[in-house]
Amino acid sequence: MTSAEDKITAWFAAQSTADSARFPIGIGDDMAQVALSGGASVLITTDMLLDGVHFDLSQIGIEKAGRKAMAVSLSDCAAMATVPICAVVSVALPSDFGSAELKELHAGIVRGGEPFGCALVGGDITSWQNPLAISVAMLSRPGDTLPVRRDGARPGDVVCVTGSLGGSMHGRHLDFTPRVNEALAIAKAAGINAMIDLSDGLSTDLNRICRMSKVGALIEADKIPLSDDARKSKDPLASALNDGEDFELLFTVTGEDYDRLKSSPPHSTPITKIGTVTYLEARQIGETGPTAKSGAVQIRMADGKTRDLVARGYDHL
Amino acid sequence: MTSAEDKITAWFAAQSTADSARFPIGIGDDMAQVALSGGASVLITTDMLLDGVHFDLSQIGIEKAGRKAMAVSLSDCAAMATVPICAVVSVALPSDFGSAELKELHAGIVRGGEPFGCALVGGDITSWQNPLAISVAMLSRPGDTLPVRRDGARPGDVVCVTGSLGGSMHGRHLDFTPRVNEALAIAKAAGINAMIDLSDGLSTDLNRICRMSKVGALIEADKIPLSDDARKSKDPLASALNDGEDFELLFTVTGEDYDRLKSSPPHSTPITKIGTVTYLEARQIGETGPTAKSGAVQIRMADGKTRDLVARGYDHL
């Protein structure tokens, strides 16, 4: 159930000796939080985007790659319901690229950041004989609420997603709008208990929220909002569950808060209730006995049968 | 005189619309400064280190690569006389690397950061079919002084370096100590007018300080502290001027402050006076007339003859 990436992230987090007073949020969430003097704090995230993995320069221009690199980190800011501040970008540039390509990249970075007031304030450029790698590090600050973490989901919460899911590889992964404004509006209107951005697919990311919150979840297959791209695929549900790179928000709120969001939507982007947070059964806490075959995160199919929702989204390792 | 890297950096800086109240230091220094609520501020830097460019994994272990990646960014913190806080690290991992290599990399990152209280607080890992790329983004905060910039050198200042220069490719580039403690101690004891870390070679980095401060400089060849590695080379002076990756500090102080540093050294690492900051001659300001052939940054050789100090250090592009 746990991806190789999550296993190594958990190992990294376990090694961490970072003081929780200085770093209220450490390894394992969408961003880390750094406490500063006078009660101020910043959050920081980093993402590495690679030619041939996250984009294909033989198909798209470098401008779009730069724009996507910013949008991915902005989506992390959204996942915590925080306000983007600025980014630094380091680049490994193929040796046949020069200042023309750098200017295109710069245009994409600016186009990505500008709608969210996120300035480019520094970077590093090195040339090598290999494909393009772009690493963005982004700072944000808390909005009107505390940063929203992955580990706050509570049994009884409603599980929600923004927008629609699946098939982003057909183009949306390059031009999605990071849900920064949606996250800030929802957090202000309701009390979000847990949130993550859907970067690796609903099946993987819902398992992450549940594992970190020590809860289960039951979602309804026929409630999952399918994108037009997902509908075109052979298995639309699998596409919505596992394709990844939707960059929509997955969050949990109390039933009361959910009702509030439905009666006065804080943003024009649709919010859909897809399920409920459940108690972990005892057998799932220890995960050692013979009854631990079944996972805590489940999906009820259209035929009424319930099965485990296995994390089958994108694994970076 | 200006490297391709400096030209594109200058272009990037000219494009920047970042508000100087929010970002007191922007593109073009060793770190950018971000103003936060309540008078707090953080500084941020990023560096991309590549297999085959900054280290050679066929010769060294990945642990040393991780340690170097942290040390390079810590050296940026030193260049501004700021206190490191934390780092996030994104990695493009060759597809045959797994959790064993990641744990080695982690060990190197921790070994690099720990002596300076710089915690690893987050990261991103992706696998691809190409060599290892490590990108570090690091935060620091001002120490007892304002962050020291590159653009504050004044005519009459003494030009100083820490340690000794040249030949770092023989090993020192992998195990140098970033001059964080030296920078903080010197900044507290004296008023540093301008500073940079010697990442690309004295010839290149002194030209950077002079260009940004709109001053000239005259340094004395026989005053430049040569490392043991430089002494072994065919041309020890050229090695000290152009090899790069010394990661020593280059800074300017008033004559009075220099005397203070000499009479009560704030740190055991040696400080050497190598020259003086000079006025720019009129011909160098416009750089259009026939007299503009000569640069503003000069070196007096052992034979007493003075020549232009051309930036012949490492150019990343």
Side-chain angles (χ1 to χ4, degrees):
Chain A
M1 293 282 290
T2 308
S3 69
E5 184 192 8
D6 286 349
K7 277 182 192 155
I8 196 77
T9 302
W11 184 87
F12 275 28
Q15 307 306 307
S16 179
T17 55
D19 172 4
S20 65
R22 289 176 66 202
F23 305 104
I25 304 175
I27 291 172
D29 220 307
D30 286 285
M31 302 184 85
Q33 187 180 21
V34 183
L36 298 163
S37 62
S41 77
V42 287
L43 296 98
I44 184 166
T45 182
T46 187
D47 290 286
M48 176 82 88
L49 271 74
L50 306 172
D51 185 15
V53 179
H54 303 92
F55 52 81
D56 182 350
L57 282 192
S58 70
Q59 302 292 321
I60 62 153
I62 191 171
E63 198 269 354
K64 286 192 175 171
R67 196 263 179 193
K68 177 173 180 177
M70 288 291 281
V72 168
S73 288
L74 286 162
S75 187
D76 286 327
C77 299
M80 312 287 290
T82 60
V83 181
I85 301 175
C86 63
V88 292
V89 182
S90 66
V91 185
L93 209 63
S95 52
D96 57 339
F97 281 24
S99 63
E101 285 81 4
L102 276 171
K103 288 179 182 180
E104 276 184 58
L105 180 65
H106 177 268
I109 290 167
V110 168
R111 185 165 66 91
E114 218 158 46
F116 301 97
C118 186
L120 175 70
V121 297
D124 185 41
I125 305 159
T126 303
S127 178
W128 71 342
Q129 308 282 342
N130 293 292
L132 177 68
I134 309 173
S135 176
V136 171
M138 193 173 284
L139 295 184
S140 69
R141 60 177 174 79
D144 293 321
T145 66
L146 288 176
V148 180
R149 306 176 59 148
R150 294 180 177 180
D151 65 0
R154 289 179 234 162
D157 276 3
V158 173
V159 179
C160 298
V161 293
T162 58
S164 60
L165 310 184
S168 85
M169 74 288 269
H170 296 297
R172 206 158 30 90
H173 76 108
L174 288 172
D175 62 14
F176 69 93
T177 300
R179 298 307 193 191
V180 173
N181 295 331
E182 289 81 350
L184 292 168
I186 296 166
K188 200 174 172 179
I192 307 178
N193 287 340
M195 187 155 61
I196 192 170
D197 66 320
L198 287 168
S199 52
D200 296 334
L202 177 60
S203 66
T204 293
D205 290 322
L206 180 58
N207 269 284
R208 285 182 174 139
I209 281 200
C210 288
R211 192 171 55 248
M212 294 194 68
S213 299
K214 298 187 175 67
V215 296
L218 175 62
I219 63 172
E220 309 286 337
D222 60 6
K223 296 282 164 56
I224 296 170
L226 304 174
S227 73
D228 291 343
D229 287 318
R231 286 181 200 280
K232 286 177 210 153
S233 84
K234 273 187 203 169
D235 187 342
L237 178 64
S239 171
L241 289 174
N242 305 326
D243 282 353
E245 299 223 319
D246 296 305
F247 297 107
E248 295 291 350
L249 299 170
L250 169 67
F251 62 97
T252 84
V253 290
T254 63
E256 209 168 66
D257 279 327
Y258 174 72
D259 292 341
R260 191 171 299 140
L261 292 176
K262 286 317 275 186
S263 64
S264 40
H267 199 280
S268 58
T269 300
I271 294 170
T272 307
K273 170 180 172 172
I274 62 167
T276 311
V277 177
T278 58
Y279 283 96
L280 264 192
E281 292 176 53
R283 64 187 167 85
Q284 283 140 359
I285 291 171
E287 279 194 312
T288 48
T291 53
K293 284 173 202 156
S294 177
V297 184
Q298 302 193 301
I299 182 167
R300 185 179 292 133
M301 306 302 286
D303 63 7
K305 286 185 187 155
T306 295
R307 63 170 178 79
D308 292 344
L309 181 67
V310 180
R312 292 220 166 85
Y314 187 73
D315 188 354
H316 297 250
L317 291 181
Chain B
M1 293 282 291
T2 307
S3 70
E5 184 193 8
D6 286 349
K7 276 181 194 156
I8 197 76
T9 303
W11 184 87
F12 275 28
Q15 306 308 305
S16 178
T17 55
D19 172 3
S20 64
R22 288 176 66 202
F23 306 104
I25 304 175
I27 292 171
D29 219 308
D30 286 285
M31 303 183 84
Q33 186 181 21
V34 183
L36 299 163
S37 63
S41 77
V42 286
L43 297 98
I44 185 165
T45 183
T46 187
D47 290 285
M48 177 81 89
L49 272 74
L50 306 172
D51 184 16
V53 180
H54 302 94
F55 52 81
D56 182 351
L57 281 192
S58 69
Q59 302 290 321
I60 64 153
I62 191 171
E63 197 269 353
K64 285 192 175 173
R67 196 261 178 196
K68 178 173 179 178
M70 289 292 280
V72 167
S73 288
L74 286 162
S75 189
D76 285 328
C77 299
M80 313 286 291
T82 60
V83 182
I85 300 174
C86 64
V88 291
V89 181
S90 65
V91 186
L93 210 62
S95 52
D96 58 338
F97 282 23
S99 64
E101 284 83 3
L102 275 171
K103 288 179 182 181
E104 276 184 57
L105 179 65
H106 178 268
I109 289 167
V110 169
R111 186 165 66 90
E114 219 158 44
F116 302 98
C118 185
L120 176 69
V121 297
D124 185 41
I125 305 161
T126 302
S127 178
W128 71 342
Q129 308 282 342
N130 291 290
L132 178 67
I134 309 172
S135 178
V136 172
M138 192 173 284
L139 295 183
S140 68
R141 60 176 174 80
D144 293 321
T145 66
L146 288 175
V148 179
R149 306 175 60 146
R150 294 180 176 178
D151 65 0
R154 289 180 233 159
D157 276 4
V158 173
V159 179
C160 297
V161 293
T162 58
S164 60
L165 310 184
S168 86
M169 75 288 270
H170 296 297
R172 205 157 32 88
H173 77 107
L174 287 172
D175 62 14
F176 69 92
T177 301
R179 299 308 194 189
V180 172
N181 295 330
E182 289 82 349
L184 292 168
I186 296 166
K188 199 173 173 180
I192 307 178
N193 286 340
M195 187 152 65
I196 192 170
D197 67 317
L198 288 168
S199 53
D200 296 334
L202 177 60
S203 67
T204 292
D205 290 323
L206 181 57
N207 270 284
R208 285 181 175 141
I209 281 199
C210 288
R211 192 170 55 248
M212 295 195 67
S213 300
K214 299 188 175 65
V215 296
L218 175 62
I219 63 170
E220 309 284 337
D222 61 5
K223 296 281 162 58
I224 295 170
L226 304 173
S227 73
D228 290 345
D229 286 317
R231 285 180 201 283
K232 286 176 208 152
S233 84
K234 273 187 199 168
D235 186 342
L237 177 64
S239 172
L241 290 175
N242 305 326
D243 282 354
E245 299 223 319
D246 297 304
F247 297 108
E248 296 290 349
L249 300 170
L250 169 66
F251 61 98
T252 83
V253 290
T254 64
E256 210 169 63
D257 278 328
Y258 174 72
D259 292 342
R260 192 171 298 140
L261 293 176
K262 287 315 276 185
S263 64
S264 41
H267 199 280
S268 58
T269 299
I271 292 169
T272 307
K273 170 181 173 171
I274 62 167
T276 311
V277 177
T278 58
Y279 283 97
L280 266 192
E281 293 175 53
R283 64 187 167 87
Q284 284 141 358
I285 293 173
E287 278 195 312
T288 49
T291 52
K293 285 173 203 156
S294 176
V297 183
Q298 301 193 302
I299 182 167
R300 185 179 290 134
M301 306 302 286
D303 62 8
K305 286 182 187 155
T306 294
R307 62 170 178 80
D308 291 344
L309 182 66
V310 179
R312 291 220 168 83
Y314 187 73
D315 188 354
H316 297 250
L317 292 179

